[in-house]
């Protein structure tokens, strides 16, 4: 059913159009009428017509002004002017208002039917377009949280993620150049302000997460990540770089508003940590690290900005020491990817802690690189000159840019890690050679896995895995193979009985020896001996 409003001060026009509609549209169009511009406006407020036939010259408010008013109320209506005045000014104004047709009286029946059919087609097209737009919006609304989650994960967990973050920036229509990370942590506060029952609130948070997401988006333009245990991470976007102090006050105000509302709504205890604002989404990992430090010190304060922390808290020496340990461990094991990931984290911390002071960063990097070179050189027993020379220190001192220094160190670590991996492989091969030699020399004794592992000085479990990886067979299979080979040699000599051979190759049970021999060779020891002496 379509709604048609006819506005004209001549009753004969109103009656004629109503008659034409009733005869040609089988009750699919309801017709309302108005005798003036004011009546047309009042009728449109309640009727919300799909089609409006408007006369220009009416008492009081004319047709053009009435169209303007109705459009402000209901823009979707299709307007058709019917007038006895062929005036250019009126036609020009009608075009500006987006009037669909401008008809001069008298208009014949077929023309009115034609115009209404075209108007209905236009309305249906617009409705279909709107429906598709809503469907698309609905789909996007379900996809956007997934994209936002991926964006947050990329900030936290991916190495060299500039390209990936660029894709997310495009998908999520991020046009702002600046932004910061805000971490919201929830749970139950004990006496000293520390949040507990993280697992319980991780489950409970699923019920209030949609509310939280809507709340934070009311106060700032942001991307909200998923619930990670008892934390939610948000990236808050900013149009421009403000003075640090002004940014801090603005960010704290937003966080405090969020804190107050969600605490009241959910009944949970919340703490919020805020990092500094940076230019470029690739630098957000620094803001994340700052927000982590801030939230660790939030306690009963609720909301803390990183820049409000005491200076000594900002330098997390324990974290840096742990990362240094990881770098050395992964470099020695030849795990290049994890080594570089740890280095990225430590370099970002140094930039953060030393405010991009290149001299201080370079000093710490030299200390780290000397330690890595020395440790890997000792691990490799001085096998390669790259690890024992000190030319690399001069190269570091010549670098004048932090990003170039970072790239140089990563390339150096990559080479060191690959070298350490090769050294490790050689060492592993040497262990297996020694293990086989031990077995070859002691096969006639009752040697166990523990005995062989002790003989090459590594743990039994690690030796078992290493032996399998290197040789393709386990320790017992190799020992059995050696014993059977030796047994065949003794049997071929013909000097010993089967029972004597059994004891000479390390077995204490002749029956068991016979079963093993047949399993390996396909015949019994006696059959083998008889064949060799025929």
């Amino acid at each position: 059913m379509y709604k048609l409003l006819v506005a004209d001060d001549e009753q004969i026009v109103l009656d004629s159009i109503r008659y034409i509609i009733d005869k040609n549209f089988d009750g699919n169009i309801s017709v309302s009428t108005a005798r003036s511009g004011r009546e047309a406006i009042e009728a449109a407020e309640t009727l919300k017509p799909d089609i409006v036939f408007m006369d220009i010259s009416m008492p009081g408010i004319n047709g053009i002004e009435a169209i303007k008013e109705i459009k402000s109320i209901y823009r979707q209506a299709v307007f058709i002017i019917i007038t006895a005045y062929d005036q250019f000014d009126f036609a020009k104004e009608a075009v500006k208002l987006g009037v669909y047709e401008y008809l001069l009286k008298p208009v014949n029946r077929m023309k009115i039917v034609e115009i209404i059919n075209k108007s209905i087609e236009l309305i249906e097209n617009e409705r279909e377009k709107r429906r598709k737009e809503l469907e698309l919006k609905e789909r996007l609304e379900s996809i956007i949280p997934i994209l936002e989650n991926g964006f947050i994960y990329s900030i936290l967990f991916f190495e060299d993620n500039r390209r990936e973050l660029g894709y997310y920036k495009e998908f999520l229509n991020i046009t702002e150049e600046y932004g910061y990370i805000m971490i919201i942590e929830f749970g139950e506060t004990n006496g000293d302000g520390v949040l507990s029952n993280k697992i319980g609130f991780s489950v409970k948070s699923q019920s209030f997460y949609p509310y939280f997401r809507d709340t934070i988006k009311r106060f700032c333009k942001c991307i909200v990540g998923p619930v990670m245990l008892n934390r939610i991470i948000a990236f808050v976007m900013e149009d421009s770089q403000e003075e640090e102090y002004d940014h801090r006050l603005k960010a704290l105000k937003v966080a405090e508003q969020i804190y107050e509302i969600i605490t009241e709504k959910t009944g949970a205890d919340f703490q919020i940590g805020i990092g500094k604002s940076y230019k470029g989404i690739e630098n957000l990992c620094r803001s994340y690290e700052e927000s982590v430090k801030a939230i660790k010190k939030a306690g009963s304060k609720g909301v803390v900005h990183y820049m409000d922390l005491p200076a000594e808290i900002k330098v997390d020496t324990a974290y840096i020491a742990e990362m240094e340990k990881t770098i050395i461990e992964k470099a020695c094991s030849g795990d290049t990817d994890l080594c570089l990931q740890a280095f990225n984290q430590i370099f970002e911390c140094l930039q953060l802690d030393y405010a991009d002071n290149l001299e201080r960063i370079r000093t710490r990097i030299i200390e780290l690189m000397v330690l890595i070179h020395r440790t890997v050189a000792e691990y490799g027993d001085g096998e390669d000159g790259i690890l024992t020379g000190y030319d690399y220190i001069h190269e570091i001192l010549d670098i004048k840019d932090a990003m170039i220094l970072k790239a140089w160190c990563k390339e150096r670590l990559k080479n060191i890690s690959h070298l350490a991996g090769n050294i490790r492989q050689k060492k592993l091969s040497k262990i297996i050679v020694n293990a086989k030699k031990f077995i070859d020399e002691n096969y006639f004794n009752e040697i166990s896995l523990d005995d062989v592992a002790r003989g090459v000085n590594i743990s039994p479990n690690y030796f078992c895995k290493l032996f399998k990886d290197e040789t393709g067979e386990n320790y017992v299979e190799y020992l059995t193979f050696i014993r059977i080979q030796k047994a065949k040699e003794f049997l071929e000599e013909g000097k010993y009985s089967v029972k004597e051979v059994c004891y000479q190759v390390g077995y204490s049970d002749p029956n068991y020896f016979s079963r093993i021999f047949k399993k390996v060779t396909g015949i019994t020891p006696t059959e083998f001996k008889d064949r060799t002496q025929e």
Side-chain angles (χ1 to χ4, degrees), residues 309-326:
L309 297 178
E312 64 271 16
I313 292 176
K314 294 178 186 177
V315 181
D316 195 339
T317 53
Y319 177 77
I320 291 177
E322 185 64 28
M323 286 297 100
E324 288 178 345
K325 182 180 176 182
T326 301

Side-chain angles (χ1 to χ4, degrees), residues 25 68 133 217 232 290 308 358 365:
F25 291 95
K68 290 179 182 178
E133 287 175 352
K217 284 181 176 287
I232 299 172
E290 292 170 349
D308 287 330
L358 182 60
I365 289 296

Side-chain angles (χ1 to χ4, degrees), residues 50-69:
D50 299 306
I51 305 170
V52 178
F53 279 84
M54 182 73 70
D55 185 17
I56 288 179
S57 180
M58 291 184 292
I61 300 173
N62 66 36
I64 295 294
E65 293 301 319
I67 291 173
K68 290 179 182 178
E69 288 294 326

Side-chain angles (χ1 to χ4, degrees), residues 17-66:
I17 292 178
R18 185 188 292 275
Y19 177 80
I20 292 170
I21 298 301
D22 291 342
K23 286 294 183 181
N24 290 275
F25 291 95
D26 298 326
N28 290 327
I29 297 178
S30 65
V31 181
S32 300
T33 60
R35 297 289 300 270
S36 68
R38 179 184 60 79
E39 285 184 18
I41 294 167
E42 291 173 351
E45 288 178 348
T46 54
L47 181 65
K48 292 184 171 53
D50 299 306
I51 305 170
V52 178
F53 279 84
M54 182 73 70
D55 185 17
I56 288 179
S57 180
M58 291 184 292
I61 300 173
N62 66 36
I64 295 294
E65 293 301 319

